[in-house]
Amino acid sequence: MTIPLIDDDQLDELEREFVGRVRGRVLEIGAGDGENFGAFDPGIEWIGLEPDAKRRAELATRAREWRHAAEPLDAVAESIPLPDASVDAVVGTYVLCSVTDPAAALAEIRRVLVPGGRVVFVDHVVAPPGTLKRAVQRVATPFSKRFCHGCHWDRDTERALVEAGFAGGDVRRLRVRSAPFGPVPMLLFDGRAPGG
């Protein structure tokens, strides 16, 4: 099966569509400086989590501009300071590539989600086995981890989500045009936690 090749504008549209699907009390992990605010449904109750102090300060300002009352949480995805089953959905864009321990982060996400709660993730992921792109990712990851906010270019995020018990509803594997090393493999995952 050929993986579709798209450009950055098409990816942006898909990201907005996926993020816009969540409802209720929504936790955004690694919320950065608030780039997803324009994509969220205006009726959500937003909670942001951002460990980087500089980004969190900008996030707090932008959250107020978008009329979200909650102050962003100073925490990492591996240790979410929320009660069990306290959110309806979790969103992460370009986050699972950079968490220190993906299995621990996904276990925490399952813990804070209501049974059957929704997860939406957008991330660049490892290329298929045996490809030149995968070899480039393996070589580049030690550098990307150090210089790109801990980003691992060679993570198999879809496998991690499935192993954590999340069931994909709308799962899209794409390639996004990029230079100089060719298209970047991407995953858009809209799924559910067990139960519900």
Side-chain angles (χ1 to χ4, degrees):
M1 184 176 105
T2 303
I3 298 174
L5 178 65
I6 63 173
D7 62 29
D8 283 330
D9 290 340
Q10 291 168 303
L11 177 62
D12 288 345
E13 287 176 22
L14 283 169
E15 285 180 38
R16 291 179 63 81
E17 176 195 330
F18 271 61
V19 170
R21 295 174 182 177
V22 295
R23 298 291 185 271
R25 193 165 197 233
V26 177
L27 171 64
E28 182 179 11
I29 62 167
D33 57 9
E35 289 186 25
N36 286 328
F37 283 138
F40 285 119
D41 181 87
I44 69 162
E45 181 185 343
W46 177 87
I47 303 165
L49 183 148
E50 175 53 56
D52 181 273
K54 186 175 178 184
R55 286 181 173 187
R56 194 171 54 256
E58 176 66 20
L59 180 62
T61 299
R62 294 205 60 205
R64 287 189 294 273
E65 290 170 359
W66 283 90
R67 295 189 172 94
H68 295 295
E71 277 295 312
L73 303 171
D74 177 7
V76 294
E78 294 90 340
S79 183
I80 301 171
L82 293 173
D84 294 358
S86 59
V87 297
D88 301 301
V90 174
V91 170
T93 56
Y94 306 97
V95 174
L96 292 178
C97 62
S98 61
V99 296
T100 304
D101 184 341
L106 291 170
E108 273 291 271
I109 289 165
R110 271 190 64 175
R111 181 186 67 77
V112 300
L113 273 168
V114 298
R118 190 173 213 158
V119 290
V120 170
F121 290 105
V122 177
D123 230 315
H124 52 87
V125 294
V126 69
T131 61
L132 175 60
K133 185 67 168 192
R134 190 174 184 125
V136 169
Q137 288 174 318
R138 294 270 187 240
V139 170
T141 291
F143 301 98
S144 64
K145 283 187 334 192
R146 185 166 183 188
F147 299 109
C148 299
H149 302 284
C151 180
H152 295 70
W153 287 3
D154 60 353
R155 285 241 166 110
D156 190 344
T157 299
E158 184 175 3
R159 188 177 90 194
L161 284 160
V162 170
E163 287 176 356
F166 294 102
D170 186 355
V171 179
R172 302 190 200 181
R173 294 160 206 88
L174 305 166
R175 296 175 303 137
V176 179
R177 288 186 178 90
S178 180
F181 298 112
V184 174
M186 294 290 303
L187 174 72
L188 286 87
F189 187 97
D190 178 356
R192 297 278 179 180

